[in-house]
Amino acid sequence: MSAPGEGRGLVIRAAEPGDVELVLELIRELAEYERLADEVVATEELLMEALFGAPPAAEALIAECDGEPAGYAVFFPTFSTFLAIQGVWLEDLYVRPPHRHTGVGRLLLATVAARTRERGGRRLEWAALDWNELALNFYRGLGARRADEWITHSLTGAELEKVAGEASRRPAAGGA
């Protein structure tokens, strides 16, 4: 049995600072696909700091097929208190349409999984939009378990500022 993408010049490599423009382009393509293009406010400068600052907030992998960018993955460390283990959150996994169903996505995910294990991690997690049957079927085919009992929440923008502001209005613990 051959490996995904074998014989097609498929390479998965760590993103480098010179890839920031490409990564941002791929992020925008993913956002367009997910019908969230208006939410992308990332810039090359912000992405450069996030991926290559000290310390980096995340890592990115680039998939290339015969030297052509085919997709990317962005991930960062997590920790489970219940299990007392580290893991990885896969923020983005995107494969350009001409390269779908060719093993690119599977090899990107396998590479993230391998890096998770190399670093002592024991769990890899991600989210997918409930309408994205292409992604859901892909993940199901890998044997991934859906965690329907968990609902992801987020605070951004004005809502984050409002809640964060509540911390400054309370006296510090153990202080005056």
Side-chain angles (χ1 to χ4, degrees):
M1 182 172 182
S2 62
E6 189 174 10
R8 297 181 47 244
L10 179 56
V11 174
I12 306 295
R13 63 174 179 80
E16 299 171 353
D19 294 316
V20 167
E21 182 179 356
L22 170 62
V23 173
L24 187 54
E25 180 181 323
L26 292 166
I27 289 169
R28 288 181 176 134
E29 287 179 26
L30 172 61
E32 186 72 33
Y33 174 76
E34 291 183 338
R35 305 175 199 148
L36 299 168
D38 59 325
E39 294 189 25
V40 177
V41 296
T43 64
E44 288 183 31
E45 295 78 22
L46 289 170
L47 199 52
M48 179 69 80
E49 181 63 28
L51 297 177
F52 303 105
E59 295 177 63
L61 298 173
I62 305 289
E64 294 176 334
C65 189
D66 295 327
E68 177 186 336
Y72 81 108
V74 172
F75 57 98
F76 54 86
T78 63
F79 181 76
S80 168
T81 56
F82 285 12
L83 302 174
I85 60 168
Q86 62 185 1
V88 161
W89 180 265
L90 177 62
E91 181 66 15
D92 289 352
L93 177 69
Y94 175 71
V95 177
R96 287 179 156 164
H99 301 284
R100 292 180 185 158
H101 306 288
T102 65
V104 172
R106 188 177 189 100
L107 192 55
L108 271 169
L109 188 65
T111 304
V112 174
R115 292 197 176 194
T116 301
R117 295 299 295 137
E118 288 165 5
R119 297 168 186 177
R122 294 182 38 217
R123 181 164 71 180
L124 175 58
E125 299 175 290
W126 62 90
L129 291 167
D130 61 358
W131 58 262
N132 190 347
E133 285 301 319
L134 182 66
L136 296 172
N137 288 333
F138 171 69
Y139 298 136
R140 203 172 8 257
L142 293 171
R145 181 180 63 87
R146 279 181 66 150
D148 290 332
E149 64 276 12
W150 294 96
I151 300 173
T152 303
H153 295 82
S154 68
L155 288 171
T156 59
E159 293 83 8
L160 176 62
E161 293 303 318
K162 178 182 174 199
V163 173
E166 294 175 15
S168 64
R169 291 192 291 274
R170 299 190 55 88

PDB file of all heavy atoms in Angstrom, residues 5-6 10 24 27 30-31 37 57 64 69 71 78 91 102 105 108 110 114 120 123-125 139 164 171 174:
ATOM      1  N   GLY A   5      -0.158  10.547  -1.368  1.00  0.00           N
ATOM      2  CA  GLY A   5       0.600  11.475  -2.190  1.00  0.00           C
ATOM      3  C   GLY A   5       1.881  10.913  -2.768  1.00  0.00           C
ATOM      4  O   GLY A   5       2.604  11.608  -3.459  1.00  0.00           O
ATOM      5  N   GLU A   6       2.172   9.628  -2.487  1.00  0.00           N
ATOM      6  CA  GLU A   6       3.414   9.030  -2.949  1.00  0.00           C
ATOM      7  C   GLU A   6       3.505   9.089  -4.468  1.00  0.00           C
ATOM      8  O   GLU A   6       2.532   8.853  -5.167  1.00  0.00           O
ATOM      9  CB  GLU A   6       3.500   7.577  -2.477  1.00  0.00           C
ATOM     10  CG  GLU A   6       4.839   6.944  -2.733  1.00  0.00           C
ATOM     11  CD  GLU A   6       4.939   5.554  -2.132  1.00  0.00           C
ATOM     12  OE1 GLU A   6       3.913   5.013  -1.679  1.00  0.00           O
ATOM     13  OE2 GLU A   6       6.046   5.025  -2.124  1.00  0.00           O
ATOM     14  N   LEU A  10       4.958  15.058  -3.242  1.00  0.00           N
ATOM     15  CA  LEU A  10       4.306  15.694  -2.101  1.00  0.00           C
ATOM     16  C   LEU A  10       5.288  15.846  -0.957  1.00  0.00           C
ATOM     17  O   LEU A  10       5.915  14.875  -0.530  1.00  0.00           O
ATOM     18  CB  LEU A  10       3.096  14.862  -1.650  1.00  0.00           C
ATOM     19  CG  LEU A  10       2.313  15.384  -0.449  1.00  0.00           C
ATOM     20  CD1 LEU A  10       1.819  16.806  -0.682  1.00  0.00           C
ATOM     21  CD2 LEU A  10       1.137  14.463  -0.173  1.00  0.00           C
ATOM     22  N   LEU A  24      -0.819  33.580   4.691  1.00  0.00           N
ATOM     23  CA  LEU A  24      -1.949  34.505   4.767  1.00  0.00           C
ATOM     24  C   LEU A  24      -2.885  34.320   3.573  1.00  0.00           C
ATOM     25  O   LEU A  24      -4.115  34.349   3.721  1.00  0.00           O
ATOM     26  CB  LEU A  24      -1.456  35.950   4.853  1.00  0.00           C
ATOM     27  CG  LEU A  24      -2.526  37.002   5.096  1.00  0.00           C
ATOM     28  CD1 LEU A  24      -3.377  36.692   6.329  1.00  0.00           C
ATOM     29  CD2 LEU A  24      -1.879  38.379   5.228  1.00  0.00           C
ATOM     30  N   ILE A  27      -4.868  31.256   4.361  1.00  0.00           N
ATOM     31  CA  ILE A  27      -5.851  31.573   5.405  1.00  0.00           C
ATOM     32  C   ILE A  27      -7.062  32.255   4.776  1.00  0.00           C
ATOM     33  O   ILE A  27      -8.215  31.929   5.093  1.00  0.00           O
ATOM     34  CB  ILE A  27      -5.227  32.454   6.506  1.00  0.00           C
ATOM     35  CG1 ILE A  27      -4.241  31.633   7.347  1.00  0.00           C
ATOM     36  CG2 ILE A  27      -6.301  33.091   7.386  1.00  0.00           C
ATOM     37  CD1 ILE A  27      -3.380  32.459   8.286  1.00  0.00           C
ATOM     38  N   LEU A  30      -9.147  29.712   2.927  1.00  0.00           N
ATOM     39  CA  LEU A  30      -9.930  28.917   3.875  1.00  0.00           C
ATOM     40  C   LEU A  30     -11.127  29.722   4.380  1.00  0.00           C
ATOM     41  O   LEU A  30     -12.253  29.215   4.429  1.00  0.00           O
ATOM     42  CB  LEU A  30      -9.064  28.464   5.053  1.00  0.00           C
ATOM     43  CG  LEU A  30      -9.804  27.791   6.206  1.00  0.00           C
ATOM     44  CD1 LEU A  30     -10.499  26.517   5.753  1.00  0.00           C
ATOM     45  CD2 LEU A  30      -8.849  27.515   7.360  1.00  0.00           C
ATOM     46  N   ALA A  31     -10.900  30.972   4.732  1.00  0.00           N
ATOM     47  CA  ALA A  31     -11.982  31.819   5.239  1.00  0.00           C
ATOM     48  C   ALA A  31     -13.067  32.001   4.185  1.00  0.00           C
ATOM     49  O   ALA A  31     -14.266  31.986   4.501  1.00  0.00           O
ATOM     50  CB  ALA A  31     -11.433  33.171   5.675  1.00  0.00           C
ATOM     51  N   ALA A  37     -14.898  35.128   5.254  1.00  0.00           N
ATOM     52  CA  ALA A  37     -13.869  36.021   4.723  1.00  0.00           C
ATOM     53  C   ALA A  37     -13.864  37.383   5.405  1.00  0.00           C
ATOM     54  O   ALA A  37     -12.792  37.973   5.602  1.00  0.00           O
ATOM     55  CB  ALA A  37     -14.036  36.187   3.216  1.00  0.00           C
ATOM     56  N   ALA A  57       3.430  31.895  18.901  1.00  0.00           N
ATOM     57  CA  ALA A  57       2.109  31.500  19.412  1.00  0.00           C
ATOM     58  C   ALA A  57       1.608  30.230  18.748  1.00  0.00           C
ATOM     59  O   ALA A  57       0.776  29.523  19.307  1.00  0.00           O
ATOM     60  CB  ALA A  57       1.111  32.637  19.182  1.00  0.00           C
ATOM     61  N   GLU A  64       3.378  20.968  -0.229  1.00  0.00           N
ATOM     62  CA  GLU A  64       3.706  21.288  -1.613  1.00  0.00           C
ATOM     63  C   GLU A  64       3.605  20.029  -2.449  1.00  0.00           C
ATOM     64  O   GLU A  64       4.074  18.972  -2.039  1.00  0.00           O
ATOM     65  CB  GLU A  64       5.125  21.853  -1.721  1.00  0.00           C
ATOM     66  CG  GLU A  64       5.291  23.192  -1.048  1.00  0.00           C
ATOM     67  CD  GLU A  64       6.711  23.707  -1.073  1.00  0.00           C
ATOM     68  OE1 GLU A  64       7.655  22.886  -1.146  1.00  0.00           O
ATOM     69  OE2 GLU A  64       6.876  24.934  -1.007  1.00  0.00           O
ATOM     70  N   PRO A  69       2.298  25.145  -3.911  1.00  0.00           N
ATOM     71  CA  PRO A  69       1.602  25.120  -2.618  1.00  0.00           C
ATOM     72  C   PRO A  69       0.239  24.452  -2.748  1.00  0.00           C
ATOM     73  O   PRO A  69      -0.577  24.850  -3.583  1.00  0.00           O
ATOM     74  CB  PRO A  69       1.457  26.601  -2.260  1.00  0.00           C
ATOM     75  CG  PRO A  69       2.474  27.312  -3.083  1.00  0.00           C
ATOM     76  CD  PRO A  69       2.617  26.501  -4.348  1.00  0.00           C
ATOM     77  N   GLY A  71      -1.528  23.252   0.325  1.00  0.00           N
ATOM     78  CA  GLY A  71      -2.309  23.404   1.544  1.00  0.00           C
ATOM     79  C   GLY A  71      -1.434  23.785   2.711  1.00  0.00           C
ATOM     80  O   GLY A  71      -0.215  23.980   2.555  1.00  0.00           O
ATOM     81  N   THR A  78      -1.642  22.624  23.705  1.00  0.00           N
ATOM     82  CA  THR A  78      -2.751  22.691  24.658  1.00  0.00           C
ATOM     83  C   THR A  78      -2.372  21.871  25.895  1.00  0.00           C
ATOM     84  O   THR A  78      -1.350  21.187  25.913  1.00  0.00           O
ATOM     85  CB  THR A  78      -4.048  22.102  24.063  1.00  0.00           C
ATOM     86  OG1 THR A  78      -3.837  20.714  23.784  1.00  0.00           O
ATOM     87  CG2 THR A  78      -4.472  22.842  22.820  1.00  0.00           C
ATOM     88  N   GLU A  91      -5.618  24.393  14.545  1.00  0.00           N
ATOM     89  CA  GLU A  91      -6.470  25.542  14.265  1.00  0.00           C
ATOM     90  C   GLU A  91      -6.978  25.527  12.822  1.00  0.00           C
ATOM     91  O   GLU A  91      -8.149  25.787  12.582  1.00  0.00           O
ATOM     92  CB  GLU A  91      -5.709  26.845  14.538  1.00  0.00           C
ATOM     93  CG  GLU A  91      -6.516  28.097  14.311  1.00  0.00           C
ATOM     94  CD  GLU A  91      -7.680  28.288  15.277  1.00  0.00           C
ATOM     95  OE1 GLU A  91      -7.742  27.618  16.321  1.00  0.00           O
ATOM     96  OE2 GLU A  91      -8.545  29.108  14.959  1.00  0.00           O
ATOM     97  N   THR A 102      -6.369  13.653  -2.660  1.00  0.00           N
ATOM     98  CA  THR A 102      -5.096  13.137  -3.180  1.00  0.00           C
ATOM     99  C   THR A 102      -4.146  12.700  -2.067  1.00  0.00           C
ATOM    100  O   THR A 102      -3.034  12.270  -2.358  1.00  0.00           O
ATOM    101  CB  THR A 102      -4.375  14.198  -4.036  1.00  0.00           C
ATOM    102  OG1 THR A 102      -4.012  15.298  -3.193  1.00  0.00           O
ATOM    103  CG2 THR A 102      -5.233  14.669  -5.189  1.00  0.00           C
ATOM    104  N   GLY A 105      -4.294  16.358   2.585  1.00  0.00           N
ATOM    105  CA  GLY A 105      -4.860  16.634   3.909  1.00  0.00           C
ATOM    106  C   GLY A 105      -4.478  15.574   4.920  1.00  0.00           C
ATOM    107  O   GLY A 105      -4.134  15.882   6.063  1.00  0.00           O
ATOM    108  N   LEU A 108      -0.841  16.090   5.868  1.00  0.00           N
ATOM    109  CA  LEU A 108      -0.716  17.257   6.748  1.00  0.00           C
ATOM    110  C   LEU A 108      -1.133  16.886   8.174  1.00  0.00           C
ATOM    111  O   LEU A 108      -0.421  17.171   9.135  1.00  0.00           O
ATOM    112  CB  LEU A 108      -1.590  18.414   6.252  1.00  0.00           C
ATOM    113  CG  LEU A 108      -0.979  19.383   5.272  1.00  0.00           C
ATOM    114  CD1 LEU A 108      -2.056  20.295   4.679  1.00  0.00           C
ATOM    115  CD2 LEU A 108       0.114  20.218   5.928  1.00  0.00           C
ATOM    116  N   ALA A 110      -1.348  13.902   9.507  1.00  0.00           N
ATOM    117  CA  ALA A 110      -0.415  12.911  10.045  1.00  0.00           C
ATOM    118  C   ALA A 110       0.866  13.580  10.546  1.00  0.00           C
ATOM    119  O   ALA A 110       1.421  13.183  11.573  1.00  0.00           O
ATOM    120  CB  ALA A 110      -0.085  11.865   8.977  1.00  0.00           C
ATOM    121  N   ALA A 114       2.263  13.463  14.254  1.00  0.00           N
ATOM    122  CA  ALA A 114       3.622  13.006  14.552  1.00  0.00           C
ATOM    123  C   ALA A 114       4.358  14.031  15.408  1.00  0.00           C
ATOM    124  O   ALA A 114       5.047  13.668  16.373  1.00  0.00           O
ATOM    125  CB  ALA A 114       4.388  12.736  13.255  1.00  0.00           C
ATOM    126  N   GLY A 120       5.784  14.671  23.141  1.00  0.00           N
ATOM    127  CA  GLY A 120       5.189  14.090  24.337  1.00  0.00           C
ATOM    128  C   GLY A 120       3.697  14.291  24.450  1.00  0.00           C
ATOM    129  O   GLY A 120       3.092  13.913  25.453  1.00  0.00           O
ATOM    130  N   ARG A 123      -2.765  14.044  22.783  1.00  0.00           N
ATOM    131  CA  ARG A 123      -4.099  14.352  22.275  1.00  0.00           C
ATOM    132  C   ARG A 123      -3.983  15.436  21.203  1.00  0.00           C
ATOM    133  O   ARG A 123      -3.259  16.401  21.366  1.00  0.00           O
ATOM    134  CB  ARG A 123      -5.000  14.831  23.408  1.00  0.00           C
ATOM    135  CG  ARG A 123      -6.398  15.153  22.943  1.00  0.00           C
ATOM    136  CD  ARG A 123      -7.383  15.254  24.066  1.00  0.00           C
ATOM    137  NE  ARG A 123      -7.160  16.452  24.871  1.00  0.00           N
ATOM    138  CZ  ARG A 123      -7.901  16.775  25.918  1.00  0.00           C
ATOM    139  NH1 ARG A 123      -8.885  15.995  26.305  1.00  0.00           N
ATOM    140  NH2 ARG A 123      -7.665  17.865  26.596  1.00  0.00           N
ATOM    141  N   LEU A 124      -4.718  15.236  20.116  1.00  0.00           N
ATOM    142  CA  LEU A 124      -4.807  16.195  19.021  1.00  0.00           C
ATOM    143  C   LEU A 124      -6.279  16.522  18.846  1.00  0.00           C
ATOM    144  O   LEU A 124      -7.097  15.606  18.698  1.00  0.00           O
ATOM    145  CB  LEU A 124      -4.219  15.594  17.740  1.00  0.00           C
ATOM    146  CG  LEU A 124      -4.337  16.402  16.453  1.00  0.00           C
ATOM    147  CD1 LEU A 124      -3.684  17.777  16.592  1.00  0.00           C
ATOM    148  CD2 LEU A 124      -3.724  15.627  15.297  1.00  0.00           C
ATOM    149  N   GLU A 125      -6.603  17.809  18.889  1.00  0.00           N
ATOM    150  CA  GLU A 125      -7.999  18.232  18.805  1.00  0.00           C
ATOM    151  C   GLU A 125      -8.165  19.319  17.752  1.00  0.00           C
ATOM    152  O   GLU A 125      -7.218  20.032  17.437  1.00  0.00           O
ATOM    153  CB  GLU A 125      -8.464  18.804  20.148  1.00  0.00           C
ATOM    154  CG  GLU A 125      -8.409  17.821  21.289  1.00  0.00           C
ATOM    155  CD  GLU A 125      -8.756  18.498  22.601  1.00  0.00           C
ATOM    156  OE1 GLU A 125      -7.952  19.315  23.077  1.00  0.00           O
ATOM    157  OE2 GLU A 125      -9.856  18.212  23.116  1.00  0.00           O
ATOM    158  N   TYR A 139     -12.583  13.540   8.457  1.00  0.00           N
ATOM    159  CA  TYR A 139     -12.202  13.236   9.840  1.00  0.00           C
ATOM    160  C   TYR A 139     -12.796  11.914  10.317  1.00  0.00           C
ATOM    161  O   TYR A 139     -12.152  11.138  11.014  1.00  0.00           O
ATOM    162  CB  TYR A 139     -12.604  14.381  10.773  1.00  0.00           C
ATOM    163  CG  TYR A 139     -11.921  15.685  10.438  1.00  0.00           C
ATOM    164  CD1 TYR A 139     -12.620  16.875  10.428  1.00  0.00           C
ATOM    165  CD2 TYR A 139     -10.565  15.733  10.107  1.00  0.00           C
ATOM    166  CE1 TYR A 139     -12.000  18.079  10.113  1.00  0.00           C
ATOM    167  CE2 TYR A 139      -9.939  16.921   9.793  1.00  0.00           C
ATOM    168  CZ  TYR A 139     -10.664  18.085   9.794  1.00  0.00           C
ATOM    169  OH  TYR A 139     -10.043  19.262   9.480  1.00  0.00           O
ATOM    170  N   ALA A 164     -12.752  41.601  30.088  1.00  0.00           N
ATOM    171  CA  ALA A 164     -11.409  41.841  30.630  1.00  0.00           C
ATOM    172  C   ALA A 164     -11.399  43.055  31.551  1.00  0.00           C
ATOM    173  O   ALA A 164     -10.691  43.073  32.566  1.00  0.00           O
ATOM    174  CB  ALA A 164     -10.406  42.032  29.496  1.00  0.00           C
ATOM    175  N   PRO A 171     -10.761  44.235  43.544  1.00  0.00           N
ATOM    176  CA  PRO A 171      -9.509  44.291  44.298  1.00  0.00           C
ATOM    177  C   PRO A 171      -8.679  43.033  44.050  1.00  0.00           C
ATOM    178  O   PRO A 171      -9.218  41.944  43.863  1.00  0.00           O
ATOM    179  CB  PRO A 171      -9.956  44.347  45.767  1.00  0.00           C
ATOM    180  CG  PRO A 171     -11.436  44.168  45.777  1.00  0.00           C
ATOM    181  CD  PRO A 171     -11.941  44.195  44.368  1.00  0.00           C
ATOM    182  N   GLY A 174      -5.547  39.036  48.035  1.00  0.00           N
ATOM    183  CA  GLY A 174      -4.488  39.156  49.023  1.00  0.00           C
ATOM    184  C   GLY A 174      -3.902  40.555  49.098  1.00  0.00           C
ATOM    185  O   GLY A 174      -2.936  40.796  49.797  1.00  0.00           O
TER     186      GLY A 174
END
